[in-house]
Amino acid sequence: MFGKLRHVSLATLRNSFDRRSAVLGTLQGTIGVLLAARLGYLAVAQNEKWELEAESNRVNLSLIPPRRGWILDRNGAPLASNRADFRVDIIPDRMGNNGKTIDTLGELLNLDEVELRDLRDKIEKSSGFAPVEVASGLDLERFAAVSVRLPELPGVVTQRGYSRFYPTGPSVGHLIGYVGTASAEDYEEDRNPLLITPGYKIGKDGLEKQFEKDLRGYPGARRVEVTASGRIIRDLETREDVPGKPVKLTIDGPLQDYAARRLGPESGSVVVMDCHNGDILCASSMPSFDPNSFSDGIGRIEWKMLSDDDHVPLRNKVLRGLYPPGSTVKPMVGLAFLEAGLDPEETVFCGGGLRVGNRVFHCWNRRGHGTVNMAKGIYQSCDVYFYYFAQKIGMNPIAAMARKLGLGAEYPLPVVGQSYGTVPDPQWKERKYGREWQTFDTVNATIGQGYFLVNPLQQCVMASRIASGRNLMPRLIHGQGGQDAASLDIPQEHLDYIHQSMSDVVNGPGTAGRARLPIEDVKLAGKTGTAQVVSLSVSSGKTGPWKYRDHGHFICYAPFDKPRYACAVTIEHGGGSGAAYPVARDVMTFLYDPGKAMEKLYEFEEGWGGTARERLDRKYAAYVEQYGPNAPKVGDAAEKKQAEAAAASDGEPSQPIVRTAQSPRPEPGASGAPSTAPEAD
Amino acid sequence: MALGIIPDPVARQPWRVILPLLALVLLGAAVLYSAAGGHLQPYAASHMVRFGIFLVMAFVMSWLPRDWFKMAAYPVYGAVFLLLMLVEAIGAINGGSQRWLNLGFMTLQPSELMKPTIVLVLARFYDTLPAPMTASWRGLIPAGALIGLPVGLVILQPDLGTSLAIVFGGVVVMFLAGLPLRWFVGAGVAAGIAAPVGFFTFLHDYQRRRVTTFLDPESDPLGAGYHITQSKIAIGSGGIFGKGFGNGSQSHLEYLPEAHTDFVFATMAEEWGMIGGVFVLLVFAALFRWGLVVARRGPDRFSRLLASGMTATIFFYVAINLMMVMGLAPVVGIPLPFMSHGGSSMLTVMICFGAILAVDRWSKRPTGLT
């Protein structure tokens, strides 16, 4: 190594410099050529690819969610509409440091602790790519506050859009259902990008779900030039959305609302049908939920409130509530007797009970009704009359008449589910329990107890068919014209007889004198019913724990001589029919004189503490106070579905086998001497 | 001389390289004007003003005699090294890393100044080193120390790009000074072995990520690979003739990061297309050719090493920056000379340019200042 050193001189260094700088120059030239080639490759060979990428950077295509079709009542007033809305959503996948983003949002939007908690729950449960609603219905100020800070809030989307609005809120909750963000399962089923567009809602229940296809419409699209941070520079092109088609219902909006409010704090339902064409004018079920507040998902407090309530606010009682109909079946049974050839003037002596073999079946009136013909059997609701003749005529003609009048049937309605109940007969019992039909089974069935289970809609259909004598089918969709319902082939004189006795229930010496309408020339005809829930040994059915009290029923129609409207009212655990017929009377009054009916309602609501929505809001506030953000988490969707399924049950719920006759419950206000003057309840 | 009306000192300047450079700076200013959304402020105006000032500075430098350069070499090196230590100390006191000193009218990055300084000091070192010692340890160890000390400080900052630039300038001078070739081969082999080790031990996470995403930018299109991808989109979508002045969507819509500094070439290529890109390459080619020609004509060993080292330093900027924006090198923060907006780097480049100008003058008038 050192040997070489001696040969190095300035001249050799000069030589080496020249050689090496030439190498360096060549190297530089090579890199220059390489760069030029690369430039050509990018700009010429791959030009199309990069141009496309630049274009997809620059242009942002966003879907404009279609405005949902309105749901209208029979007069064209909206039951569900859309209102312009400022909203903020968040897409969890695009949210980086989520704690901070949510905190900032909370500050900007003034969210309280409960709301923040619910928001975190929703984000936790969300699928990630689907937007989660943070807030909607914002005022411009708060909306702007979030909008300007979007660059530091990754994953947050602000937009102006439309949100669903239900003007009467809880009154239509069960009927219309509600809308909500599409779940992961919904998106699995239908891979429509619309479903994961922020702010887009699909029908989750009720008619909103049934008519999803019609209501949805077609999305518009908007092409905008955006910066890297998502700021919109300008609109390039916009295609308007095509709003969904409206759905017009047979429902009478004001009536529906009135009925819901008139139910007050009770748990029950009101169904009103048009006796001419079967239109369902009202199908109220209370207590209910406010579909307006459901559309952004169910919060903890709401969930706690709903699941704590023993009045089952999530169940649509009109279709899914099954009850023993009690004495409301008696006009139907009367028709069966007439059809079987029984002379209505044939009498039986009621001494408070009927001995069959070695057993005594009691009448609700233990003091007895004396001599009873069919009319008195109906208007005084004498059980002995029906025990006696039912045994003579047998169960089959009664069951046949029950089915003819619509009990036990599932109607072709666009609803999510119907529980159709049971019309018991010997074949049914043989099939279900493998036991023979017993005398006490007939005795129970003839007064609407035992295995008999109906829903309130069926009761209303029964009332409308008795009133019209025609095979009316209930309808929910408006605009199908008059219903040319076939006659039920019940002789007019039979109907007239039953009509008269039903009128006597209200206008004569019957069990519901106070149900008389405060309208001149319009007479109400009806039938009371009190259905026991537990045996007398547990509770008297009038007082004591709420869940042991008797159900109250009332079916009616008016005017009695020219039937126009039929109505069925059910009050769960109302303590008897006395809870039901005042409601029916006021609802029927509303059809003829809304002013008079409203006056009465205002009186009641003062006592109850406000309208249904006001009470719901107050209850919510009380829950927030009590539980704050510590309310338990909303049950999983699976749990919820299970609960719903249990609530819904099917046509034949599990019924314990009945081994004895059930004691009929006394009819209120009808202890022999009916009151005649209508008084305020 | 040839044209009587032009004063001699003006006519003597190497206009065939200064004029293309002026064109390049003007193109740079145009790109910056467009990047600022069609405004002279804040980039284009200051870009041109700075170039004007630094060009005057380069001319002044070129008038300085060779001996002054030689005398100043070690003191300047010492001063810049002290500045580097000062930056490091201030950074340590403020509890973080700092790369620049605020001088009020501009921020000064001492590590930038070290790039031409290392060339100057090494040229001086090999100038004084007796020729026979070039191939001995005495030609290597002191030079290695002169490079290693400042590079160590810069790496601490941490600034990988600048340290590489300093090493590159120094090594080129050593190479041209005639150190035995086998040392470079040996060092190359050693670096080949050490690089993977260093990659996993010395580099910071963000630096490592830059390398891995360079190798596969699509692996992380929204993260670190974003820069490279967006730059390629800008260049590729420009095509042959570009989208037209002021029409670059990538830069105007802020998809291109650092559109006015490190990625200014992509900004330019989007609007001016491949034509613009080739023009830039040609101007640089002319500059480097001129630099090497000047170096070869240099009157002595010092001036030859000085001019070639300065050329290599500018070349390093250009090559790394262009390879980076075209996706051939990882993202390191190195701007493009004469086009990127930024005072420190332009100062460095113009010092290099001034030094080459000076060598050019010395070769024409070996006596220096008359």
Side-chain angles (χ1 to χ4, degrees):
Chain A
M1 194 171 174
F2 283 93
K4 275 187 179 173
L5 286 184
R6 285 166 213 122
H7 304 293
V8 179
S9 69
L10 269 179
T12 52
L13 286 181
R14 172 75 209 240
N15 270 339
S16 125
F17 176 86
D18 285 346
R19 272 199 318 275
R20 290 185 180 187
S21 64
V23 168
L24 202 66
T26 314
L27 191 74
Q28 290 180 355
T30 312
I31 289 180
V33 170
L34 180 76
L35 286 172
R38 175 69 174 174
L39 183 60
Y41 176 68
L42 288 177
V44 181
Q46 287 193 319
N47 175 246
E48 242 171 80
K49 170 188 172 183
W50 299 119
E51 227 165 48
L52 203 71
E53 295 248 0
E55 215 37 28
S56 83
N57 264 351
R58 182 176 77 96
V59 177
N60 196 343
L61 186 72
S62 56
L63 283 175
I64 302 174
R67 281 159 285 175
R68 209 171 163 76
W70 287 21
I71 297 179
L72 305 169
D73 84 342
R74 61 185 302 112
N75 300 314
L79 297 174
S81 60
N82 304 310
R83 62 178 168 192
D85 184 26
F86 291 111
R87 51 181 299 118
V88 174
D89 294 82
I90 197 162
I91 299 173
D93 273 355
R94 298 194 201 153
M95 187 172 66
N97 176 3
N98 69 41
K100 210 178 143 220
T101 304
I102 294 174
D103 289 344
T104 317
L105 274 182
E107 268 169 50
L108 293 174
L109 296 170
N110 305 327
L111 300 181
D112 62 32
E113 220 176 324
V114 174
E115 288 165 316
L116 277 175
R117 192 67 202 240
D118 283 344
L119 178 60
R120 289 211 178 86
D121 282 357
K122 279 190 270 177
I123 289 173
E124 199 180 299
K125 267 185 18 190
S126 77
S127 51
F129 54 82
V132 171
E133 176 170 328
V134 178
S136 58
L138 292 171
D139 51 69
L140 187 57
E141 210 167 291
R142 287 195 292 169
F143 179 75
V146 176
S147 297
V148 297
R149 293 189 58 180
L150 276 185
E152 49 182 301
L153 298 168
V156 174
V157 182
T158 56
Q159 60 176 244
R160 272 182 329 194
Y162 292 92
S163 66
R164 203 60 159 162
F165 177 56
Y166 305 92
T168 47
S171 299
V172 295
H174 289 127
L175 176 70
I176 309 275
Y178 57 95
V179 294
T181 319
S183 66
E185 297 96 76
D186 294 329
Y187 185 62
E188 279 305 312
E189 267 171 46
D190 178 10
R191 289 233 163 231
N192 187 342
L194 187 59
L195 293 188
I196 51 170
T197 304
Y200 184 71
K201 303 281 173 67
I202 63 169
K204 289 285 191 178
D205 198 9
L207 295 169
E208 292 274 26
K209 188 172 180 183
Q210 288 293 312
F211 287 97
E212 175 63 25
K213 281 218 166 65
D214 295 319
L215 293 169
R216 184 178 284 184
Y218 297 93
R222 183 168 168 230
R223 270 161 44 94
V224 289
E225 197 172 276
V226 289
T227 67
S229 51
R231 195 160 48 89
I232 292 169
I233 301 295
R234 61 193 165 113
D235 281 320
L236 298 174
E237 196 187 332
T238 305
R239 195 185 72 216
E240 291 296 331
D241 61 309
V242 179
K245 278 181 241 146
V247 171
K248 195 170 183 183
L249 303 179
T250 56
I251 297 291
D252 180 337
L255 180 69
Q256 169 87 11
D257 190 40
Y258 181 86
R261 287 169 67 180
R262 180 60 185 83
L263 280 168
E266 299 284 4
S267 171
S269 58
V270 177
V271 186
V272 178
M273 277 173 66
D274 187 318
C275 294
H276 290 170
N277 54 20
D279 283 358
I280 298 175
L281 300 178
C282 159
S284 297
S285 164
M286 292 302 269
S288 179
F289 52 86
D290 187 348
N292 288 308
S293 70
F294 263 33
S295 66
D296 59 349
I298 303 168
R300 286 189 181 197
I301 297 282
E302 242 165 355
W303 178 251
K304 171 107 184 113
M305 200 167 99
L306 292 171
S307 51
D308 277 3
D309 196 334
D310 56 359
H311 289 35
V312 218
L314 287 176
R315 184 191 297 162
N316 183 0
K317 299 181 181 82
V318 169
L319 298 166
R320 294 193 146 168
L322 285 179
Y323 313 92
S327 301
T328 55
V329 297
K330 282 175 183 165
M332 177 276 288
V333 177
L335 279 173
F337 289 173
L338 291 170
E339 187 145 296
L342 180 69
D343 179 355
E345 295 310 326
E346 213 169 308
T347 58
V348 66
F349 182 79
C350 170
L354 179 71
R355 175 173 291 275
V356 178
N358 55 352
R359 305 175 64 164
V360 175
F361 298 121
H362 291 285
C363 183
W364 66 267
N365 188 344
R366 297 295 167 93
R367 286 174 293 161
H369 289 103
T371 305
V372 182
N373 64 1
M374 185 182 288
K376 191 174 179 186
I378 289 173
Y379 68 69
Q380 280 289 315
S381 204
C382 175
D383 296 321
V384 167
Y385 176 87
F386 288 94
Y387 296 157
Y388 180 76
F389 288 106
Q391 284 179 64
K392 287 198 154 181
I393 286 160
M395 189 60 208
N396 281 329
I398 299 173
M401 181 57 75
R403 297 202 178 93
K404 200 172 185 175
L405 294 182
L407 302 187
E410 194 173 3
Y411 302 107
L413 290 172
V415 292
V416 175
Q418 296 179 55
S419 304
Y420 47 87
T422 310
V423 174
D425 63 19
Q427 293 79 23
W428 173 85
K429 190 179 178 190
E430 183 66 38
R431 203 170 56 240
K432 173 126 182 176
Y433 295 106
R435 304 267 179 112
E436 213 180 313
W437 188 260
Q438 301 290 330
T439 309
F440 60 75
D441 287 323
T442 308
V443 164
N444 284 337
T446 198
I447 58 162
Q449 293 276 173
Y451 299 112
F452 231 129
L453 281 179
V454 301
N455 69 34
L457 176 66
Q458 289 169 341
Q459 280 182 296
C460 188
V461 170
M462 175 168 75
S464 75
R465 289 185 182 175
I466 292 173
S468 67
R470 294 192 300 140
N471 191 29
L472 281 175
M473 293 300 276
R475 305 190 304 190
L476 256 181
I477 302 308
H478 192 263
Q480 291 163 294
Q483 189 176 133
D484 200 12
S487 163
L488 287 167
D489 289 330
I490 300 173
Q492 192 57 44
E493 61 264 31
H494 293 182
L495 289 173
D496 288 346
Y497 187 87
I498 297 296
H499 290 174
Q500 185 55 54
S501 53
M502 282 176 79
S503 173
D504 286 345
V505 169
V506 179
N507 306 303
T511 50
R514 284 189 302 163
R516 203 170 292 181
L517 291 185
I519 313 281
E520 254 180 85
D521 305 333
V522 181
K523 280 189 174 168
L524 189 73
K527 181 68 194 86
T528 54
T530 297
Q532 76 169 50
V533 179
V534 291
S535 72
L536 259 181
S537 59
V538 176
S539 165
S540 73
K542 304 291 166 217
T543 53
W546 180 77
K547 63 176 180 175
Y548 294 146
R549 292 187 201 165
D550 297 336
H551 295 314
H553 293 291
F554 191 66
I555 63 169
C556 60
Y557 66 90
F560 112 91
D561 44 354
K562 249 194 251 155
R564 179 68 214 273
Y565 302 114
C567 171
V569 174
T570 300
I571 305 292
E572 278 185 358
H573 309 294
S577 60
Y581 66 73
V583 175
R585 175 198 63 208
D586 292 347
V587 168
M588 291 303 252
T589 305
F590 185 85
L591 281 164
Y592 291 98
D593 187 346
K596 207 174 251 177
M598 284 312 283
E599 250 170 63
K600 202 140 215 187
L601 178 64
Y602 290 142
E603 252 171 64
F604 282 121
E605 283 189 340
E606 214 162 290
W608 296 329
T611 64
R613 188 181 294 172
E614 282 164 8
R615 278 175 288 149
L616 207 58
D617 288 347
R618 203 159 45 240
K619 192 168 171 190
Y620 183 83
Y623 263 75
V624 171
E625 188 124 321
Q626 189 179 348
Y627 296 99
N630 302 319
K633 262 192 169 175
V634 177
D636 281 342
E639 254 176 72
K640 199 179 129 205
K641 277 204 184 114
Q642 232 171 6
E644 265 171 11
S649 70
D650 52 13
E652 298 199 354
S654 62
Q655 285 169 282
I657 188 158
V658 180
R659 292 173 195 285
T660 177
Q662 283 164 295
S663 304
R665 290 303 166 80
E667 296 292 340
S671 43
S675 55
T676 42
E679 349 161 338
D681 277 278
Chain B
M1 286 184 283
L3 300 166
I5 19 163
I6 299 171
D8 194 39
V10 176
R12 243 193 350 259
Q13 301 303 332
W15 290 110
R16 63 198 176 86
V17 66
I18 294 177
L19 285 179
L21 268 192
L22 263 176
L24 190 59
V25 169
L26 286 179
L27 176 63
V31 171
L32 294 175
Y33 174 84
S34 166
H39 299 287
L40 283 174
Q41 297 298 344
Y43 310 134
S46 63
H47 183 70
M48 288 189 291
V49 167
R50 271 187 206 142
F51 180 75
I53 293 170
F54 291 145
L55 188 62
V56 170
M57 177 202 74
F59 282 140
V60 170
M61 268 178 74
S62 73
W63 280 64
L64 302 179
R66 205 181 342 168
D67 293 340
W68 287 29
F69 272 82
K70 288 186 178 178
M71 270 189 315
Y74 287 106
V76 165
Y77 177 83
V80 175
F81 188 69
L82 280 177
L83 283 179
L84 266 181
M85 301 226 289
L86 183 66
V87 170
E88 199 62 41
I90 292 175
I93 289 164
N94 293 349
S97 83
Q98 191 174 345
R99 295 178 182 182
W100 53 84
L101 292 170
N102 198 345
L103 299 185
F105 63 94
M106 71 176 283
T107 55
L108 183 75
Q109 272 194 54
S111 57
E112 279 290 332
L113 290 181
M114 188 47 90
K115 292 174 190 170
T117 307
I118 197 77
V119 172
L120 175 71
V121 79
L122 285 179
R124 176 68 182 145
F125 170 72
Y126 286 112
D127 180 42
T128 50
L129 188 74
M133 285 186 193
T134 316
S136 77
W137 63 269
R138 288 191 54 188
L140 175 69
I141 302 299
L146 285 173
I147 298 174
L149 287 174
V151 165
L153 283 179
V154 176
I155 277 189
L156 281 180
Q157 282 184 350
D159 186 346
L160 187 66
T162 307
S163 359
L164 282 176
I166 297 171
V167 170
F168 182 81
V171 168
V172 164
V173 174
M174 289 164 85
F175 177 71
L176 293 174
L179 265 64
L181 204 57
R182 58 182 191 286
W183 291 2
F184 293 98
V185 176
V189 171
I193 295 165
V197 179
F199 177 75
F200 291 110
T201 51
F202 291 115
L203 289 195
H204 285 248
D205 265 350
Y206 79 94
Q207 291 168 328
R208 215 170 324 185
R209 216 165 35 241
R210 280 178 179 180
V211 176
T212 50
T213 48
F214 154 65
L215 295 174
D216 182 16
E218 275 75 28
S219 69
D220 187 13
L222 289 177
Y226 181 80
H227 292 57
I228 293 179
T229 307
Q230 295 303 330
S231 173
K232 286 203 284 192
I233 291 175
I235 296 171
S237 65
I240 298 179
F241 299 105
K243 295 177 183 169
F245 185 61
N247 290 336
S249 62
Q250 285 289 103
S251 53
H252 289 278
L253 299 179
E254 297 153 29
Y255 289 96
L256 194 60
E258 303 291 330
H260 62 286
T261 56
D262 292 359
F263 287 90
V264 73
F265 184 81
T267 311
M268 186 280 303
E270 189 183 17
E271 297 188 356
W272 300 78
M274 194 180 164
I275 302 283
V278 168
F279 170 75
V280 171
L281 287 176
L282 286 179
V283 171
F284 281 122
L287 176 69
F288 301 140
R289 207 183 109 77
W290 171 75
L292 286 183
V293 166
V294 166
R296 282 187 183 212
R297 282 203 313 247
D300 64 352
R301 189 165 154 77
F302 172 71
S303 30
R304 282 197 293 272
L305 289 177
L306 183 66
S308 52
M310 292 302 188
T311 308
T313 300
I314 304 179
F315 171 78
F316 184 80
Y317 272 97
V318 175
I320 296 298
N321 178 276
L322 291 185
M323 294 205 312
M324 170 183 86
V325 297
M326 291 192 227
L328 295 174
V331 175
V332 280
I334 289 186
L336 184 64
F338 307 111
M339 290 189 78
S340 287
H341 182 258
S344 272
S345 69
M346 187 181 272
L347 176 62
T348 311
V349 168
M350 292 309 283
I351 287 173
C352 295
F353 183 64
I356 304 172
L357 273 183
V359 174
D360 189 35
R361 247 183 69 77
W362 302 335
S363 62
K364 285 167 185 161
R365 285 191 190 187
T367 45
L369 201 63
T370 41

